[in-house]
Amino acid sequence: MQLEFPTSPLRRLQELGHEAFYVGGCVRDALMGLPPKDLDLTTSATPEQIEAAFSDCRVIETGIRHGTVTVRFEGQSLEITTFRLDGAYTDGRHPDRVSFASRVEEDLARRDFTVNAMAWSPERGLVDPFGGQADLKAGILRCVGDPRLRFTEDALRILRGLRFSAVLDFALESETAQAARDLREGLCRISAERIQAELLKLLCGPACERVLLDFPEILAVPIPELSPMVGFDQKNPHHCYDVWTHSVKVTAAVPARPDLRLAALLHDVGKPACFTLDDTGVGHFYGHGEAGEQIARTILDRLRLDRATRERVLTLVRHHDRPILPPEEKTVKRLLGRFGTEGFFALMALKRADNLAQHPDYRGRLAQYDEIEAMARRILATKQPFCLKDLAVTGTDLLALGYAPGPELGAALQELLRRVMEENLSNTRPVLLKEAEKRRKTIQIHENN
């Protein structure tokens, strides 16, 4: 089988008497007709011999202790690893030691899933000792060898399996799935950064809905706050799903952006703690947005999300059920001013997905959301003011009129903006200065009395 890979890096090693292959994800992607994201090579050459073969290139000793170097070659980064065998995994994440192997098949035997345990070179073609190509065609994710051993060696492989399942839309083979469930507590030993990276990729996968619904108990190991959502009956006519199923369906319905998908997954995380039942047997969740924000903050801090992403997610969780109907321009302007353009459309995407995941009899808000978004686009296109920076006057102008810095100045600017947005005042400098001066005189009269 001929795959489309640059052969010159292989030739460099082969001309010095070493075997060399493309390996892992790049081979998998090429077999699927996808452009490879990363080019990884495996070779019989030792790290020192790899460095000698690429002595005219920039070489980075990224993992030389485990036989890996990164080479900048013809404008690309190549990760090149010596054939190796892994020792015991005492910490459930990294091998205690590695030893170099003599055959590529030995190297492939230590890898996680069969679809990632294939190698290719022009001379030998596809090397596939574990049936990875057949699993690719069948859409199956299967561990290499004993799945319990693979997941005991490195528990992160459990979450990687879910991520590959969501991204590739592959089903976990039954023994692999059962071992993942049985050994899920091993994820407690994995660093937050590793969990975060796999989780965000999983959430943005096209099959995330299926994976989240099939494996909530695994996700609940690094995020135990998800457990109360699973199976929680909302007892409300607006909802036909439990809290977890509803949240997952909302997650799948928003654009595949990490912040939006996280916000969707966590938007109702506060519901179980806020549940009340009225005299008619209908469930309510008063204050669940605020409660959810606090729970989500704990989760995001634990996952070590960057500050900007964390704040975007928390804002969406807190305000996802904020009333915005009926469609009115003054309301839309206030929302644009409060959340900014990007934040406004993110909130609308979450609200739209939230409505789509409710009972079919209550999905009638979508047309109104269309109208609101159309209003926002008109406001933006016509450059109508909706935030303080859009005003024709500044705080400096008002200070010159005698306003005191601080709350008095801020309140005056906000009042001018409100009246401009409601079209009670023209957004022109002379008009706003005149109104601000009148307001200041009124304040002075009250102060003197």
Side-chain angles (χ1 to χ4, degrees), residues 54-192:
F54 294 92
S55 59
D56 59 332
C57 302
R58 184 184 177 206
V59 176
I60 308 166
E61 296 181 350
T62 45
I64 197 164
R65 178 167 164 263
H66 293 140
T68 300
V69 296
T70 299
V71 175
R72 288 292 299 173
F73 181 76
E74 296 180 353
Q76 292 182 300
S77 290
L78 308 175
E79 190 170 278
I80 307 177
T81 303
T82 305
F83 298 160
R84 76 182 208 198
L85 298 168
D86 293 342
Y89 287 71
T90 304
D91 66 356
R93 177 70 186 97
H94 305 95
D96 296 340
R97 63 179 181 82
V98 300
S99 56
F100 296 147
S102 59
R103 299 170 57 246
V104 67
E105 289 84 357
E106 294 175 286
D107 182 88
L108 297 176
R110 69 179 177 82
R111 295 176 182 263
D112 50 9
F113 303 103
T114 61
V115 297
N116 297 331
M118 295 180 283
W120 178 88
S121 73
E123 295 75 24
R124 287 191 57 181
L126 186 67
V127 181
D128 179 20
F130 304 105
Q133 188 177 19
D135 285 345
L136 265 185
K137 291 178 179 177
I140 290 173
L141 205 62
R142 182 195 314 271
C143 279
V144 173
D146 179 1
R148 303 187 73 84
L149 176 60
R150 292 284 86 84
F151 293 148
T152 301
E153 289 172 341
D154 181 359
L156 184 63
R157 288 170 174 165
I158 296 171
L159 202 53
R160 278 171 56 83
L162 268 57
R163 185 252 289 186
F164 283 126
S165 181
V167 171
L168 301 175
D169 196 7
F170 282 15
L172 264 68
E173 176 268 335
S174 59
E175 289 187 17
T176 298
Q178 190 58 53
R181 290 187 174 98
D182 292 345
L183 300 170
R184 62 187 183 274
E185 293 299 329
L187 289 169
C188 293
R189 299 194 296 272
I190 305 301
S191 73

Side-chain angles (χ1 to χ4, degrees), residues 292-304:
E293 179 190 19
Q294 296 308 312
I295 296 170
R297 187 180 298 278
T298 299
I299 294 168
L300 301 182
D301 286 349
R302 185 190 311 130
L303 292 176
R304 299 186 182 174

Side-chain angles (χ1 to χ4, degrees), residues 162-342:
L162 268 57
R163 185 252 289 186
F164 283 126
S165 181
V167 171
L168 301 175
D169 196 7
F170 282 15
L172 264 68
E173 176 268 335
S174 59
E175 289 187 17
T176 298
Q178 190 58 53
R181 290 187 174 98
D182 292 345
L183 300 170
R184 62 187 183 274
E185 293 299 329
L187 289 169
C188 293
R189 299 194 296 272
I190 305 301
S191 73
E193 292 83 358
R194 294 284 189 175
I195 296 288
Q196 179 209 124
E198 295 297 334
L199 175 64
L200 295 183
K201 291 175 184 175
L202 186 167
L203 291 179
C204 290
C208 75
E209 179 178 342
R210 173 181 54 77
V211 173
L212 292 171
L213 290 178
D214 285 350
F215 298 99
E217 69 274 41
I218 292 179
L219 272 296
V221 173
I223 313 176
E225 295 86 351
L226 300 179
S227 286
M229 301 164 66
V230 180
F232 195 102
D233 186 351
Q234 304 198 60
K235 299 187 184 299
N236 188 291
H238 287 83
H239 290 282
C240 54
Y241 303 114
D242 65 82
V243 175
W244 175 248
T245 303
H246 166 77
S247 298
V248 169
K249 287 185 175 293
V250 175
T251 302
V254 297
R257 250 174 48 187
D259 56 347
L260 269 176
R261 291 276 167 109
L262 260 180
L265 185 71
L266 300 177
H267 79 284
D268 278 350
V269 71
K271 274 191 169 181
C274 295
F275 178 71
T276 59
L277 205 62
D278 67 22
D279 294 340
T280 66
V282 174
H284 301 279
F285 303 93
Y286 301 116
H288 77 275
E290 293 82 357
E293 179 190 19
Q294 296 308 312
I295 296 170
R297 187 180 298 278
T298 299
I299 294 168
L300 301 182
D301 286 349
R302 185 190 311 130
L303 292 176
R304 299 186 182 174
L305 264 289
D306 65 273
R307 178 172 303 204
T309 301
R310 185 175 68 235
E311 292 310 311
R312 287 197 300 273
V313 171
L314 294 175
T315 297
L316 290 170
V317 171
R318 180 180 180 88
H319 296 284
H320 75 273
D321 62 342
R322 182 189 183 112
I324 62 173
L325 298 175
E328 294 179 346
E329 282 207 356
K330 63 181 181 181
T331 302
V332 175
K333 288 177 182 178
R334 281 200 296 268
L335 290 171
L336 284 167
R338 167 67 177 81
F339 298 107
T341 302
E342 184 178 343

